[in-house]
Amino acid sequence: MRTGTSIPSEHRGRLLHTIYGWYALTREQADLGPFDTAEKASRALTRHIHIYRGLNNRNPDDQARMHLHDTEHCQRNNCALCVEAKVAQHSMMLVAV
Ligand SMILES: [Zn+2]
């Protein structure tokens, strides 16, 4: 068994840090989180991938989701990208005032 807090390199692009904590992005209906550390988010993602492996085929929208996220029409539960977008929007509003 591996020890330490290292995060698998394939998880790095799927962990998102917001002011609420760390989220793990999934291909399923809901993202995971928030967690207080990246390691916890990574461990949750490992469990999640293990559970969903083979159940859900990769779909072409996934790549788009990573680059351009439509928060107005997002149907996901607990969506980390929506959280990030709302936080960013709020920060911009604070700057604009
Ligand atoms: Zn979303």
Side-chain angles (χ1 to χ4, degrees), residues 31 65 69-71 74-76 79-83:
D31 291 325
R65 182 174 169 251
H69 191 66
D70 183 357
T71 57
C74 181
Q75 301 290 316
R76 295 172 61 84
C79 178
L81 297 180
C82 284
V83 169

Side-chain angles (χ1 to χ4, degrees), residues 88-97:
Q89 206 171 42
H90 188 64
S91 313
M92 280 188 275
M93 275 164 25
L94 290 178
V95 169
V97 168

Side-chain angles (χ1 to χ4, degrees), residues 27-63:
R27 290 189 276 127
E28 283 67 42
Q29 180 61 27
D31 291 325
L32 310 173
F35 299 95
D36 51 347
T37 66
E39 286 78 16
K40 284 183 188 169
S42 177
R43 281 200 296 273
L45 184 57
T46 299
R47 285 195 298 273
H48 179 88
I49 290 168
H50 186 74
I51 291 165
Y52 281 91
R53 182 173 292 150
L55 292 180
N56 204 348
N57 291 324
R58 192 170 286 277
N59 81 59
D61 292 342
D62 291 339
Q63 281 306 104

